Amino acid sequence: MKYRTVAELVALARQHGKTIGEVVLEQEVQAGGRTREEVFSNMEKSLLVMEQAVEKGMNEVVLSAAG
């Protein structure tokens, strides 16, 4: 299921009785040649990195070069 716009994505989801997330996940599996489990594992790793970045940003004092 390929789509180019959000409108096409929404239409595909409705047409196939799926959520937008399911359509996107299927596209990722097909395009990347990976299993659903591999896609979710990669997403979990990315989420962990983002959470760590937020935690670091919230708890460390960072000064700009200008002061």
Side-chain angles (χ1 to χ4, degrees):
M1 287 186 261
K2 290 190 176 186
Y3 53 89
R4 294 181 320 214
T5 67
V6 173
E8 289 176 357
L9 173 58
V10 171
L12 276 171
R14 286 184 179 150
Q15 178 183 359
H16 294 280
K18 298 182 179 190
T19 67
I20 290 172
E22 289 170 328
V23 172
V24 172
L25 179 59
E26 286 181 17
Q27 175 65 26
E28 186 66 24
V29 167
Q30 291 173 1
R34 297 180 288 168
T35 65
R36 291 173 62 96
E37 292 76 20
E38 290 170 325
V39 171
F40 274 108
S41 177
N42 192 1
M43 289 169 51
E44 287 174 343
K45 289 175 188 173
S46 295
L47 177 60
L48 179 60
V49 169
M50 290 185 279
E51 288 173 337
Q52 289 170 343
V54 169
E55 186 69 28
K56 182 178 178 181
M58 296 292 291
N59 293 318
E60 289 187 17
V61 176
V62 179
L63 300 175
S64 70

